[in-house]
């Protein structure tokens, strides 16, 4: 049996992002998933409804939509900016949440999604994850409810090379990946 294909998206553009490091940890500590980290978030232009059709979408957007459709599930790591998700992440979700022509299907409809996040504050990415969950209510995505992976004081959870070393966070991450796998199996 082939492993389920997971598209992992970090909402952070920073080179040393703890959220991207969480996704690398997911690759390392997962049990049988094929997790690919999306690298094109920076290339996604601001959402423009005038361009949101198969004939007019920018190539970077078409590529992201294709990869979301082909993935069995999504793994999204979000930092927290101003009590919410970063604009670049919301923008990308806006591009993959539509089908104005009623010919393509909705890429996020019923898509299994797992959310996690890291931030240097005492509350981590709690509010950002809540905001992201609200977005996925509208898209009718199938979001993992628990466990919640909130790497608060994230600078204490990674070593100097960006490796996740906190055992509790590793356990929670593995539980999240298991829960995502269960959701995917239910729709497969």
């Amino acid at each position: 049996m082939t492993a389920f294909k997971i598209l992992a998206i970090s909402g952070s553009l920073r080179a040393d992002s703890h959220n991207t490091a969480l996704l690398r940890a997911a690759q390392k500590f997962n049990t049988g998933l094929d997790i690919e980290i999306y690298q094109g978030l920076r290339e996604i232009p601001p959402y423009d409804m005038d361009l949101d059709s198969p004939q007019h979408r920018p190539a970077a957007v078409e590529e992201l939509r294709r990869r979301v459709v082909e993935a069995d599930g999504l793994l999204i790591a979000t930092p927290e900016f101003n009590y919410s998700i970063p604009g670049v992440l919301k923008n990308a979700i806006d591009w993959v949440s539509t089908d104005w022509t009623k010919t393509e299907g909705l890429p996020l409809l019923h898509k299994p999604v797992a959310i996690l996040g890291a931030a240097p504050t005492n509350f981590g990415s709690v509010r950002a994850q809540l905001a992201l969950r609200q977005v996925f209510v509208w898209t009718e995505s199938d979001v993992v409810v628990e466990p919640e992976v909130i790497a608060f004081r994230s600078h204490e959870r990674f070593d100097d090379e960006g490796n996740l070393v906190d055992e509790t966070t590793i356990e929670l991450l593995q539980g999240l990946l298991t829960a995502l796998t269960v959701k995917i199996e239910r729709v497969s």
Side-chain angles (χ1 to χ4, degrees), residues 120-141:
T121 64
N122 287 330
F123 290 104
S125 61
V126 170
R127 292 175 211 108
Q129 289 190 42
L130 183 60
L132 190 53
R133 289 176 193 281
Q134 188 65 36
V135 170
F136 286 127
V137 168
W138 172 254
T139 63
E140 295 184 51
S141 302

Side-chain angles (χ1 to χ4, degrees), residues 62-117:
E62 278 297 324
E63 173 72 6
L64 175 59
R65 286 177 67 97
R66 179 188 64 75
R67 291 175 71 183
V68 167
V69 168
E70 290 176 357
D72 296 306
L74 300 178
L75 179 64
I76 300 180
T78 184
E80 184 167 303
F81 293 150
N82 298 318
Y83 286 8
S84 192
I85 59 176
V88 293
L89 180 57
K90 175 65 166 63
N91 181 61
I93 293 169
D94 289 346
W95 275 112
V96 298
S97 66
T98 61
D99 177 14
W100 301 115
T101 64
K102 307 283 189 232
T103 61
E104 305 172 279
L106 298 166
L108 295 173
L109 183 64
H110 306 301
K111 180 70 67 175
V113 178
I115 298 169
L116 66 164

